[in-house]
Amino acid sequence: MWLRFVRFGSQRFDTANSPDADGLLCQYGTHAFDGPPAFTLDFARQFEVNDASGEHDHYIQLHCELRYEPVLQLRALGHFESWFFHDTDEELDGWADGLGLHEFWTIVRNFHPTEITVYQEQV
């Protein structure tokens, strides 16, 4: 999933001319947002939407959430988030490579998601 998310992140879209107009987010943690607690690994792409005068109106986020049983090994990872934004000094490949080396992958790989959810929300 991670490699497909990074590939999707490399595709550029016609977005507003602001530093946070096109961003990627990798985050995880144990939450009980809409039911029993679950360890959630979330990959999100965020786009800024402007109004007719060019001013910020809202963001659209596209999420791919992988939910796992909140076993001790996953809960022990705590919470984490990392953002990448196009049109900044950071390069997507550098961000992705750094996250690809993050220690949480070696733990998460030992478990299978109980649910995968893809959705869009306005924030």
Side-chain angles (χ1 to χ4, degrees):
M1 192 75 220
W2 171 244
L3 296 176
R4 294 194 185 280
F5 176 66
V6 172
R7 186 169 20 163
F8 171 56
S10 70
Q11 297 177 18
R12 297 302 307 270
F13 294 87
D14 186 17
T15 58
N17 189 19
S18 65
D20 58 352
D22 185 358
L24 287 84
L25 170 64
C26 174
Q27 62 183 344
Y28 64 75
T30 302
H31 308 283
F33 293 129
D34 57 357
F39 178 84
T40 303
L41 176 57
D42 181 24
F43 304 116
R45 180 100 183 245
Q46 175 175 281
F47 298 103
E48 181 178 22
V49 177
N50 291 338
D51 61 20
S53 64
E55 296 296 318
H56 171 80
D57 187 60
H58 63 276
Y59 294 103
I60 296 291
Q61 290 183 343
L62 307 171
H63 292 266
C64 179
E65 283 186 355
L66 291 81
R67 294 184 183 185
Y68 300 81
E69 291 293 327
V71 297
L72 180 61
Q73 297 94 321
L74 294 175
R75 287 194 329 261
L77 292 172
H79 301 276
F80 172 82
E81 73 174 40
S82 179
W83 280 96
F84 168 82
F85 290 96
H86 286 286
D87 300 323
T88 64
D89 292 336
E90 189 173 13
E91 293 293 326
L92 176 61
D93 288 342
W95 177 78
D97 290 346
L99 278 177
L101 298 173
H102 199 283
E103 65 185 57
F104 76 88
W105 293 113
T106 59
I107 296 169
V108 169
R109 283 188 185 115
N110 293 315
F111 302 94
H112 296 285
T114 58
E115 181 180 355
I116 298 174
T117 306
V118 177
Y119 65 95
Q120 174 182 312
E121 70 177 334
Q122 181 176 319
V123 294

